[in-house]
Amino acid sequence: MSTTARPFVPLAFQHLPEDEMLRRAQRFYAEMERRRTTRHFSDTPVPRELIEHAIRTAGTAPSGAHQQPWTFVVISDPRIKRLMREAAEEEERVNYDGRMPPEWLEALAPLGTDAVKEHITTAPYVVILFRQVYGLRPDGSRRTHYYTTESCGIAAGLFIAAIHQMGLATLTHTPSPMGFLTKLLQRPENEKPFLLMPVGYPAPDARVPDLQRKPLDEISIWFDGGGDG
Ligand code: IYR
């Protein structure tokens, strides 16, 4: 098969003074540090345009061979949300009633999760990120996709950051197994559900577990070359 090189264009890169870089880094970190996952959403409507921007932002993620192996399915239709919640809760009841081993249930206990998935019907939008395991060419033949999990994980991270930065909240929910989403949302066989993210304002009385994040020295190891060796 012949391949065509893309034309290259100059990189539009803005060099900033170091003090400005530090200010930006601190401001962005402070903003992201305030992000919390909540399970309690308000049903206050959210402008569709905001969700569109978050998806555009997610779509800037780097991806394996620039194949952009993601489809964002956006649901605000109350009927579909209800069906989705019913199906998710059915699976989760099986999970919490024994499909998840005791060690898993123990790990979740501090977070207070259970089989009730109210966020699916309360949040004004539910965004499901589907991972395109392989691509489909216009003639129906399969095109291998590379690093789809990594690519979708990065896209999800950007989506979450965008949602937080614009003043909304989301939750990364992975109902398990997720096959019911493929059926309900009529996705093609090359797409697998990756993440379900309700989006909206937090409920006025939203509560979150009192979590601590690991400090820098617990999450990073540095080889500075400055030792006495
Ligand atoms: N999918 C279940 C269980 C669950 C698993 C993990 I790992 C979490 O961080 C949270 C929940 C549920 O959504 O309840």
Side-chain angles (χ1 to χ4, degrees):
M1 194 185 297
S2 73
T3 50
T4 325
R6 275 174 193 275
F8 270 56
V9 293
L11 171 66
F13 184 85
Q14 193 190 2
H15 268 284
L16 298 169
E18 261 181 35
D19 58 344
E20 170 66 9
M21 290 166 74
L22 187 57
R23 260 199 306 277
R24 285 186 182 214
Q26 286 167 336
R27 206 180 308 139
F28 188 65
Y29 166 62
E31 184 62 40
M32 292 310 295
E33 229 286 307
R34 288 193 313 105
R35 188 200 63 77
R36 290 301 311 264
T37 292
T38 183
R39 319 188 87 79
H40 307 125
F41 287 85
S42 147
D43 61 2
T44 303
V46 163
R48 174 191 165 116
E49 209 183 345
L50 294 178
I51 310 297
E52 290 176 355
H53 271 299
I55 296 173
R56 282 194 188 98
T57 302
T60 67
S63 61
H66 190 57
Q67 288 169 324
Q68 305 169 83
W70 41 65
T71 305
F72 292 84
V73 178
V74 185
I75 298 125
S76 55
D77 179 335
R79 190 188 64 90
I80 302 181
K81 286 200 291 183
R82 205 175 49 249
L83 291 171
M84 219 159 49
R85 177 174 169 184
E86 279 166 16
E89 289 184 339
E90 212 175 294
E91 292 291 4
E92 296 292 11
R93 274 193 296 271
V94 181
N95 287 335
Y96 284 90
D97 287 349
R99 187 158 55 190
M100 284 192 282
E103 188 182 1
W104 194 347
L105 292 172
E106 229 168 81
L108 289 178
L111 304 179
T113 62
D114 59 26
V116 181
K117 300 302 171 192
E118 197 190 330
H119 53 263
I120 299 179
T121 46
T122 311
Y125 284 100
V126 178
V127 178
I128 322 264
L129 168 48
F130 280 82
R131 176 172 71 93
Q132 297 171 4
V133 180
Y134 56 90
L136 289 172
R137 296 197 184 86
D139 68 1
S141 62
R142 286 182 183 205
R143 183 172 79 134
T144 305
H145 276 174
Y146 303 95
Y147 295 103
T148 57
T149 308
E150 291 82 350
S151 305
C152 286
I154 298 167
L158 293 183
F159 180 86
I160 293 162
I163 288 294
H164 172 71
Q165 199 271 340
M166 66 178 67
L168 292 170
T170 187
L171 154 71
T172 47
H173 178 198
T174 48
S176 161
M178 296 210 265
F180 68 91
L181 293 168
T182 305
K183 244 167 105 179
L184 181 64
L185 304 171
Q186 298 168 36
R187 299 312 305 154
E189 57 153 43
N190 63 317
E191 294 188 5
K192 297 269 171 282
F194 185 73
L195 209 48
L196 182 157
M197 294 173 286
V199 179
Y201 296 97
D205 58 350
R207 291 169 71 81
V208 292
D210 186 14
L211 301 179
Q212 300 300 317
R213 293 187 169 118
K214 291 180 182 176
L216 181 66
D217 64 357
E218 276 183 42
I219 61 171
S220 61
I221 294 165
W222 303 59
F223 291 83
D224 289 330
D228 49 11

